[in-house]
Amino acid sequence: MTHRIRIRHGWEVAEREVTDPELYLRRREFLGATGALAGGLVLGACGSSESEAAGAEGAPARRADLGPWDTDETPTSREDATRYNNFYEFGTGKEDPARNAGTLRTRPWSVAVEGEVARPGRVALEDLLKPHAREERIYRLRCVEAWSMVIPWLGIPLGEVLKRFEPTSKAKYVAFDTLLDPEQMPGQRRSVLDWPYREGLRLDEAMHPLSLLATGMYGEDLPNQNGAPLRLVVPWKYGFKSIKSIVRIRFTAEQPYTSWSYEAPSEYGFFANVNPEVDHPRWSQKRERRIGEFRKRPTLPFNGYAESVAPLYAGMDLRKHY
Ligand SMILES: Nc1nc2c(c(=O)[nH]1)N[C@H]1C(S)=C(S)[C@@H](COP(=O)(O)O)O[C@H]1N2
Ligand SMILES: [Mo]
């Protein structure tokens, strides 16, 4: 891996953050050299939301240090992103994961690869990550509960990892499991969900260059409460699709079981694409509260990534398949 000194991001010197010593002292050296070029074939793919945010004519130029997939919206403070979490394995309160996730042992860690693949097996985390350069991706995260954040992740494109296992022609979906261990994850002692937490994607969604396997955020390794040591980030879907602390990847011919679509089928189905036109049974999804902001802002179709991901759903009735 090569080292690269990154130019200091705007968010690192945001006015409300300069007094935070943790931010002030943060290293600016990142692993991974190809971030700015990776996915360059679809340059400006996030353009719709960017131009919307900036206004049409005379819009300020996009910062030169941003990669093609990055939003230039101000990232949420690291403090908020690591203290306001959903990770039911450590409790259902927003501050429970930060308080309780210290019991999770993230090393050694391995991932079981199963199902419709030529190369199944158990892979040590280091071996899973080794061939790939870690990239930074600044993505919006929209929770189904109508709050949102902007998070600078560190990770590797999911599709590049999945390809290495050589999915068979029968593989149409990919399923992910979180660790099941009530000793390390005290929330699993209560039957809040049918543990382990499980999620899944259609294979073409998983192969989309926006889909990220994240190992870090804010220039450092993931804190446990954010899904260490390995989590999914699928920024055009509601946050619950972005499963944390992954121990199993399974390729399937049929649509896999997913925790939330099973737990609350009246709320969301398998796809769970962010869609301001489809309300939650108990609230509207038209607007969202960006953590750290006062006024609500409109929610964008596919969370602002429509230009690059809408083609995945061509011909599908998005009011039915949500
Ligand atoms: N295993 C597991 N993964 C999970 C969850 C969870 O409870 N357990 N919560 C999901 C939800 S609802 C959201 S919004 C995001 C939150 O990620 P963050 O805490 O890193 O912001 O994680 C998702 N992944
Ligand atoms: Mo969520």
Side-chain angles (χ1 to χ4, degrees):
M1 276 196 198
T2 33
H3 289 262
R4 179 171 62 134
I5 309 291
R6 274 191 71 121
I7 292 158
R8 203 166 171 83
H9 285 304
W11 55 267
E12 292 181 277
V13 290
E15 200 169 5
R16 57 185 294 262
E17 293 172 347
V18 281
T19 50
D20 181 344
E22 201 181 3
L23 274 154
Y24 189 71
L25 296 170
R26 192 185 317 124
R27 294 187 302 134
R28 270 170 289 153
E29 194 173 293
F30 292 79
L31 289 176
T34 54
L37 293 172
L41 58 154
V42 204
L43 192 80
C46 315
S48 57
S49 58
E50 311 307 332
S51 47
E52 219 168 284
E57 280 300 299
R62 216 174 130 72
R63 290 210 319 274
D65 59 327
L66 292 176
W69 303 107
D70 294 339
T71 174
D72 62 2
E73 292 168 62
T74 307
T76 302
S77 76
R78 183 182 187 281
E79 167 139 343
D80 283 342
T82 58
R83 286 189 196 171
Y84 185 93
N85 300 101
N86 276 335
F87 200 169
Y88 280 13
E89 286 84 341
F90 297 102
T92 52
K94 291 286 180 279
E95 295 181 9
D96 289 342
R99 197 180 308 123
N100 300 332
T103 48
L104 175 65
R105 291 188 303 272
T106 59
R107 296 291 188 285
W109 193 271
S110 63
V111 177
V113 179
E114 302 170 357
E116 292 295 341
V117 273
R119 308 184 47 180
R122 184 170 283 282
V123 194
L125 180 64
E126 297 70 34
D127 297 329
L128 188 87
L129 303 176
K130 207 182 293 164
H132 308 278
R134 210 153 71 144
E135 303 174 17
E136 183 171 69
R137 298 281 185 91
I138 308 174
Y139 285 163
R140 288 174 289 274
L141 174 84
R142 172 55 158 86
C143 177
V144 74
E145 298 162 338
W147 54 264
S148 64
M149 299 192 190
V150 172
I151 300 182
W153 302 104
L154 291 173
I156 53 186
L158 174 64
E160 290 181 20
V161 178
L162 297 186
K163 262 188 257 168
R164 280 165 52 207
F165 305 123
E166 299 173 20
T168 70
S169 59
K170 285 192 196 141
K172 296 286 180 279
Y173 297 87
V174 57
F176 304 86
D177 293 3
T178 294
L179 176 69
L180 175 63
D181 184 351
E183 301 252 311
Q184 295 185 59
M185 297 181 144
Q188 289 178 338
R189 294 171 206 161
R190 295 168 49 216
S191 48
V192 178
L193 282 174
D194 177 22
W195 310 112
Y197 194 106
R198 279 160 282 175
E199 260 309 333
L201 298 169
R202 222 170 50 192
L203 195 57
D204 60 334
E205 299 178 310
M207 301 307 286
H208 191 283
L210 271 170
S211 296
L212 195 71
L213 262 183
T215 57
M217 63 197 292
Y218 298 86
E220 295 168 358
D221 283 342
L222 283 174
N224 288 359
Q225 63 267 32
N226 293 91
L230 188 71
R231 65 157 314 156
L232 201 62
V233 181
V234 191
W236 71 94
K237 293 178 178 283
Y238 289 117
F240 65 81
K241 297 294 286 185
S242 292
I243 183 173
K244 296 175 169 182
S245 306
I246 295 166
V247 294
R248 178 170 289 104
I249 300 178
R250 194 172 59 261
F251 294 78
T252 65
E254 307 294 333
Q255 183 178 302
Y257 172 100
T258 53
S259 294
W260 281 115
S261 65
Y262 177 82
E263 199 66 38
S266 68
E267 298 182 5
Y268 292 94
F270 178 77
F271 287 99
N273 293 317
V274 174
N275 187 346
E277 300 305 321
V278 176
D279 291 340
H280 184 276
R282 284 175 283 134
W283 59 83
S284 161
Q285 295 291 23
K286 284 196 171 20
R287 301 169 73 73
E288 67 197 54
R289 188 171 69 91
R290 179 68 49 83
I291 300 299
E293 289 181 1
F294 183 66
R295 282 174 57 96
K296 286 200 171 185
R297 53 166 70 214
T299 286
L300 303 173
F302 297 103
N303 200 23
Y305 301 97
E307 205 172 312
S308 47
V309 301
L312 293 172
Y313 311 100
M316 271 175 62
D317 182 350
L318 295 173
R319 289 181 151 277
K320 252 203 233 137
H321 300 276
Y322 53 81

